[in-house]
Amino acid sequence: MVPHLTTALTGPLLDLEQRILDAMPRIEHWLRTQWLTHETPFYASVDLRNAGFKLAPVDTNLFPGGFNNLNPDFLPLCVQAAMAAVEKICPEAQRLLLIPENHTRNSFYLQNVAALLNILRQAGLDVRVGSISPEITEPTRLALPQGGELLLEPVQRKGNRLVLEGFESCAVLLNNDLSGGIPEILQNLEQTVTPPLHAGWAMRRKSNHFAAYTRVAREFAELIDIDPWLVDPLHASCGMIDFQARVGEDCLAGQVSDLLSQIGAKYREYGVEQEPFVIVKADAGTYGMGIMTVKSPDDVRGLNRKQRNKMSVVKEGLQVQEVFIQEGVYTFENMHEAVAEPVIYMMDHYVVGGFYRVHTGRGIDENLNAPGMHFVPLAFDTPCSLPDCAGKPDAAPNRFYAYGVIARLALLAASIELEETAPDVA
Amino acid sequence: MVPHLTTALTGPLLDLEQRILDAMPRIEHWLRTQWLTHETPFYASVDLRNAGFKLAPVDTNLFPGGFNNLNPDFLPLCVQAAMAAVEKICPEAQRLLLIPENHTRNSFYLQNVAALLNILRQAGLDVRVGSISPEITEPTRLALPQGGELLLEPVQRKGNRLVLEGFESCAVLLNNDLSGGIPEILQNLEQTVTPPLHAGWAMRRKSNHFAAYTRVAREFAELIDIDPWLVDPLHASCGMIDFQARVGEDCLAGQVSDLLSQIGAKYREYGVEQEPFVIVKADAGTYGMGIMTVKSPDDVRGLNRKQRNKMSVVKEGLQVQEVFIQEGVYTFENMHEAVAEPVIYMMDHYVVGGFYRVHTGRGIDENLNAPGMHFVPLAFDTPCSLPDCAGKPDAAPNRFYAYGVIARLALLAASIELEETAPDVA
């Protein structure tokens, strides 16, 4: 189960949501058995799109950066789940070294680190933040916008261990997605590093994740007797694309064309009248750069210089070489007349909260993970604030349950993806 | 960590509480390592007494009956902890058979069953309530005072399995403390029965629990460098007491005398000016029957008929034969000018909530678990309702943390007690 949350949607439950709710014991049982054989990521966030007829993940982040956006009411849930997560990675650990992203001037991100730190400390860990940024050469106190400060200390390498001055830890927790590659200082550590290095974007590929997701979705769809497409965005990929040199355009246009006609066929099957679209992303990218919305194969041919620049540079200047093409899912949800996308947070295999990503300037067919978006935290469902709520045997789980289920399917896919892409230990 | 709760106490943290808070990472680490080698009870509630200088458990219930008294805000925490608990007893289970107490006319108790059922269902289990009461001979719907109803079905035994009509489960969850003995229908089942039968009062003894607790408290006291007495009530026991026949009075008076002088010595050491007292209880009793407050060995000699009757009958008419004598802990807490005793609820090894047991007609040296008492649910701490709360790295854990720690020491003691008293499988 997941917390009772409110969503941007009101009105009766949609068919798909209702079907997921009805199958709750079967779903929870199936998920429980999955976690017997698959290792849960330490934490994750999943971006969902709810098109009404279809509810699907569009991105799974293994280094979530928005813990500050969670409703503070969820803090005890986060703490409890963090205790479970810590017991798995390092049950005998008392100290944990947290390694954040290097962007120390992004105060939103610093608040995320502070929120995560708070959760881990409340879980009873002695945690310190070790920066691998070249700018942090001595202990540095950074003021937080809402009061308090964050202490970043320079990480030191001692043999095959990372330490801070006077601080040795059994495990290293990464909140750094390694988009710029795996720094030498993190390689071949004897400490437990979680998530593992191959979960970072230096090695991770969206295509692997969604390939695993497709298999998970198929099994899930069979379980509750639905068409897997209702929870799974179609996808394809192209290797060796160089937008600047116009290499690989044919592959891309071909895949786009194929996907669009598959989506079109599905839309006709379900009587959906909107125009099919796909999202083209860097297969190893993140941060909303290198993403375009495409409604025709022609859209990816003859890109102008500005478009090509946009597509060929992602975070920390990595060149795009592999491209992931994903079925676009229209969002059915909006908030204050702006498009809203739910983001679900998990620690260990527990859903611990979420928030809406809202962007007033964006359309229902665009990516919302972009600079300038607003966040709206999800709140507990009000019916549950009545004193007799816990006592009612027939209290209706609300629509958010379906979001928590789909997010956990993506979590399971991430787990399988990490197993399958783990480098040989030999 | 435990939820942020408010307590009846305001004012600065007391020395002992502060010391426990300061040692948080060390305590959590130690508890984590304990749970590597000891199996957590499925659930438990612990009655605490806070005397200011001393904070100690006075009773540990392995079949908690007050889930309806928990703050509904804690429901997601309960559900998450229930998921963890279920994964341990029967990870592959989808169905669970819940066996409640037989007192189907106690509407408070029925609300507890409904609340527990709700938690388990939200955790994704298919749960039904099977009654072993001779009065339940067909499916019976009982109306709940706050709306809704509870369906009780007669349990059937098929070979070595308990089933309901059309319902087979992998595990049986007991919410029946077996005070009246272990019914034949529950014996030699091949299903997992949790808590195990020897956790029921038919076999359980308070003296075993507190003997284990004393060892746990000693280890804990060493960890945080305090006198173990500050968290451990002194205790003793007498076997073969028959109040009606006045057999065993000498043993009892002797133990009372010894305990009172030990407590007196401790009071002098700590400058406590109150009068020492002890509580005399049935070693296998519960439900606030068979309990007396004693301030002198003379109090247990020459009892009148009424007192003897009270002490010799406990729940379901069991004769008292073994008696447990426990150091009385004055309660420092009160609420609306009435005496208050915190009760902490746990599922698996997580603290999931609690409430105050308040009794206006009772003194600070009396047992509060008696008919007619009032309950006041503990609420989340208000400072944590501010949106920036989760972001503050220095958010102060509040005094409730200490309660959660002491309750978990009692939980650990219960775990060790159950290991040590488990019947030979051979």
Side-chain angles (χ1 to χ4, degrees):
Chain A
M1 229 293 292
V2 297
H4 283 226
L5 302 160
T6 50
T7 75
L9 276 180
T10 51
L13 288 177
L14 305 169
D15 269 2
L16 175 60
E17 292 170 336
Q18 189 60 55
R19 199 181 270 261
I20 292 175
L21 267 177
D22 292 344
M24 183 184 182
R26 227 177 323 144
I27 294 171
E28 295 299 330
H29 171 246
W30 177 78
L31 281 170
R32 266 199 301 280
T33 58
Q34 296 301 312
W35 296 125
L36 293 177
T37 48
H38 299 292
E39 201 179 320
T40 333
F42 187 87
Y43 48 20
S45 68
V46 174
D47 296 355
L48 297 180
R49 303 286 297 227
N50 188 353
F53 60 94
K54 176 165 189 156
L55 174 60
V58 295
D59 205 5
T60 303
N61 187 347
L62 294 173
F63 305 90
F67 280 99
N68 51 317
N69 297 313
L70 299 183
N71 186 327
D73 286 348
F74 298 151
L75 182 60
L77 268 183
C78 292
V79 169
Q80 191 174 296
M83 290 174 88
V86 166
E87 278 167 22
K88 283 182 191 162
I89 59 160
C90 218
E92 312 223 4
Q94 182 168 350
R95 294 192 198 87
L96 190 65
L97 176 58
L98 174 64
I99 298 192
E101 299 285 351
N102 290 352
H103 28 75
T104 50
R105 286 189 197 84
N106 179 338
S107 67
F108 290 107
Y109 180 70
L110 294 181
Q111 286 179 67
N112 164 64
V113 175
L116 181 56
L117 204 55
N118 184 38
I119 291 165
L120 296 167
R121 285 187 176 150
Q122 300 258 29
L125 288 165
D126 186 0
V127 196
R128 280 160 65 176
V129 185
S131 177
I132 55 171
S133 164
E135 293 177 22
I136 303 295
T137 54
E138 55 182 358
T140 306
R141 291 181 185 277
L142 300 169
L144 296 168
Q146 294 178 312
E149 54 179 22
L150 187 65
L151 173 64
L152 299 187
E153 299 175 71
V155 158
Q156 299 161 32
R157 176 126 178 179
K158 263 197 193 165
N160 284 334
R161 301 185 73 80
L162 288 188
V163 299
L164 303 180
E165 194 63 44
F167 186 82
E168 302 242 3
S169 73
C170 134
V172 174
L173 177 62
L174 290 182
N175 196 252
N176 182 315
D177 70 10
L178 309 175
S179 292
I182 301 175
E184 215 177 307
I185 196 170
L186 293 182
Q187 290 175 20
N188 304 312
L189 289 174
E190 60 184 48
Q191 284 145 307
T192 303
V193 176
T194 195
L197 294 177
H198 71 283
W201 286 120
M203 296 171 72
R204 197 173 170 225
R205 295 294 175 268
K206 291 187 171 68
S207 48
N208 290 330
H209 176 68
F210 281 96
Y213 183 80
T214 293
R215 281 177 276 143
V216 169
R218 234 173 254 160
E219 210 178 317
F220 173 77
E222 199 171 320
L223 182 78
I224 68 165
D225 194 23
I226 57 167
D227 178 352
W229 178 72
L230 297 177
V231 295
D232 186 20
L234 298 170
H235 53 85
S237 60
C238 286
M240 305 308 285
I241 301 270
D242 185 337
F243 284 97
Q244 294 296 11
R246 307 201 160 197
V247 170
E249 268 188 14
D250 285 343
C251 167
L252 185 55
Q255 297 280 27
V256 165
S257 172
D258 281 0
L259 267 189
L260 287 172
S261 40
Q262 286 175 56
I263 302 166
K266 279 293 179 187
Y267 276 19
R268 281 189 296 281
E269 181 183 340
Y270 286 92
V272 178
E273 292 180 354
Q274 280 140 317
E275 190 185 358
F277 72 104
V278 298
I279 300 280
V280 177
K281 317 175 182 186
D283 202 8
T286 180
Y287 279 74
M289 297 168 81
I291 294 190
M292 49 191 292
T293 299
V294 172
K295 294 191 176 172
S296 147
D298 296 340
D299 293 350
V300 296
R301 290 190 198 274
L303 296 180
N304 63 30
R305 174 175 302 273
K306 193 177 155 199
Q307 289 168 316
R308 284 184 281 131
N309 281 344
K310 186 186 157 204
M311 287 308 290
S312 53
V313 179
V314 290
K315 194 188 162 206
E316 307 211 357
L318 211 71
Q319 292 297 309
V320 171
Q321 292 188 306
E322 294 149 283
V323 164
F324 181 62
I325 309 132
Q326 184 176 47
E327 174 188 347
V329 181
Y330 283 97
T331 177
F332 187 79
E333 296 185 278
N334 52 66
M335 203 171 246
H336 314 307
E337 295 179 25
V339 177
E341 183 178 85
V343 187
I344 310 301
Y345 270 63
M346 290 163 289
M347 294 192 86
D348 197 86
H349 60 299
Y350 301 106
V351 175
V352 294
F355 53 84
Y356 271 95
R357 189 174 281 145
V358 179
H359 202 304
T360 44
R362 298 238 156 184
I364 58 169
D365 57 1
E366 286 182 286
N367 172 60
L368 298 186
N369 191 355
M373 64 204 164
H374 295 272
F375 293 109
V376 179
L378 288 166
F380 273 93
D381 196 20
T382 44
C384 217
S385 60
L386 300 175
D388 64 333
C389 177
K392 279 195 193 156
D394 56 349
N398 75 11
R399 82 175 341 127
F400 190 78
Y401 179 69
Y403 290 4
V405 169
I406 303 299
R408 286 182 289 165
L409 298 184
L411 185 74
L412 178 57
S415 167
I416 294 169
E417 170 202 356
L418 292 181
E419 279 162 26
E420 290 177 349
T421 57
D424 285 335
V425 190
Chain B
M1 228 292 294
V2 296
H4 282 224
L5 303 161
T6 50
T7 74
L9 276 180
T10 52
L13 288 176
L14 303 170
D15 269 2
L16 175 60
E17 291 169 336
Q18 189 60 56
R19 197 181 273 260
I20 292 175
L21 268 176
D22 292 345
M24 184 184 182
R26 226 177 323 145
I27 293 171
E28 294 299 329
H29 171 247
W30 178 78
L31 282 170
R32 267 200 300 280
T33 57
Q34 297 301 311
W35 296 125
L36 293 178
T37 48
H38 299 291
E39 201 179 318
T40 334
F42 187 87
Y43 49 19
S45 68
V46 175
D47 296 356
L48 297 180
R49 303 285 298 226
N50 188 353
F53 61 93
K54 174 162 190 159
L55 173 60
V58 294
D59 205 4
T60 302
N61 187 344
L62 295 173
F63 305 90
F67 279 100
N68 52 314
N69 297 312
L70 299 182
N71 187 328
D73 286 349
F74 299 152
L75 182 61
L77 268 184
C78 291
V79 169
Q80 190 173 296
M83 291 174 88
V86 167
E87 278 167 23
K88 283 181 192 163
I89 58 160
C90 215
E92 312 222 7
Q94 182 168 348
R95 294 190 200 89
L96 190 65
L97 175 58
L98 174 64
I99 299 193
E101 299 284 350
N102 289 352
H103 28 74
T104 50
R105 288 190 194 85
N106 179 338
S107 67
F108 290 106
Y109 181 69
L110 293 180
Q111 286 179 67
N112 165 64
V113 175
L116 181 56
L117 204 56
N118 184 38
I119 291 166
L120 296 167
R121 285 189 176 147
Q122 302 257 28
L125 289 165
D126 186 0
V127 196
R128 280 160 65 176
V129 185
S131 177
I132 55 171
S133 164
E135 293 177 21
I136 304 294
T137 53
E138 55 182 357
T140 307
R141 293 182 185 275
L142 299 170
L144 295 169
Q146 295 179 312
E149 53 180 21
L150 187 65
L151 173 64
L152 299 188
E153 298 175 73
V155 159
Q156 300 161 29
R157 177 129 178 178
K158 264 198 195 165
N160 285 333
R161 300 185 72 81
L162 288 188
V163 301
L164 302 180
E165 195 62 44
F167 186 82
E168 301 241 3
S169 74
C170 133
V172 173
L173 177 62
L174 290 182
N175 195 253
N176 182 316
D177 71 11
L178 310 176
S179 293
I182 303 175
E184 215 177 306
I185 197 171
L186 294 181
Q187 291 176 18
N188 304 313
L189 291 174
E190 61 184 47
Q191 285 147 305
T192 303
V193 176
T194 194
L197 295 177
H198 69 285
W201 284 122
M203 295 171 72
R204 197 172 170 226
R205 295 294 175 267
K206 292 186 170 70
S207 48
N208 290 331
H209 176 68
F210 282 96
Y213 183 79
T214 293
R215 281 176 276 144
V216 168
R218 235 174 251 159
E219 210 180 316
F220 174 76
E222 200 172 318
L223 180 79
I224 68 165
D225 194 23
I226 57 166
D227 177 351
W229 178 72
L230 296 177
V231 296
D232 186 20
L234 298 170
H235 53 87
S237 61
C238 287
M240 305 307 286
I241 301 267
D242 185 335
F243 282 98
Q244 295 296 11
R246 309 204 158 193
V247 170
E249 268 190 17
D250 285 342
C251 167
L252 184 54
Q255 296 281 25
V256 165
S257 172
D258 280 1
L259 268 189
L260 286 173
S261 38
Q262 286 175 54
I263 302 166
K266 278 294 181 187
Y267 276 20
R268 281 188 297 279
E269 181 184 339
Y270 285 92
V272 177
E273 292 180 356
Q274 279 137 319
E275 191 185 356
F277 72 104
V278 298
I279 301 280
V280 177
K281 316 177 182 185
D283 202 8
T286 180
Y287 280 74
M289 295 168 82
I291 293 189
M292 51 189 290
T293 299
V294 173
K295 293 190 177 174
S296 147
D298 297 339
D299 293 350
V300 295
R301 289 190 197 273
L303 296 179
N304 62 31
R305 175 176 302 273
K306 192 179 156 197
Q307 288 169 315
R308 281 184 283 134
N309 281 344
K310 185 186 159 204
M311 287 308 290
S312 52
V313 180
V314 290
K315 196 189 161 203
E316 308 210 358
L318 211 71
Q319 292 298 308
V320 171
Q321 292 189 303
E322 294 151 282
V323 164
F324 182 61
I325 309 133
Q326 185 177 46
E327 174 188 346
V329 181
Y330 281 97
T331 178
F332 188 78
E333 297 185 277
N334 51 67
M335 205 169 243
H336 314 305
E337 298 181 23
V339 176
E341 182 178 85
V343 187
I344 309 302
Y345 270 63
M346 291 164 288
M347 293 192 88
D348 197 85
H349 59 300
Y350 301 106
V351 175
V352 295
F355 53 84
Y356 271 96
R357 190 172 280 146
V358 180
H359 202 304
T360 43
R362 295 235 157 187
I364 57 171
D365 56 2
E366 284 181 285
N367 173 60
L368 298 186
N369 193 352
M373 64 203 165
H374 296 273
F375 293 109
V376 179
L378 288 166
F380 274 91
D381 198 20
T382 45
C384 218
S385 60
L386 300 174
D388 62 335
C389 176
K392 279 196 191 155
D394 56 352
N398 75 12
R399 78 173 345 125
F400 191 77
Y401 179 69
Y403 290 4
V405 169
I406 302 299
R408 285 182 289 163
L409 299 185
L411 185 74
L412 179 57
S415 167
I416 294 169
E417 170 202 352
L418 292 181
E419 280 161 28
E420 292 177 347
T421 57
D424 285 337
V425 191

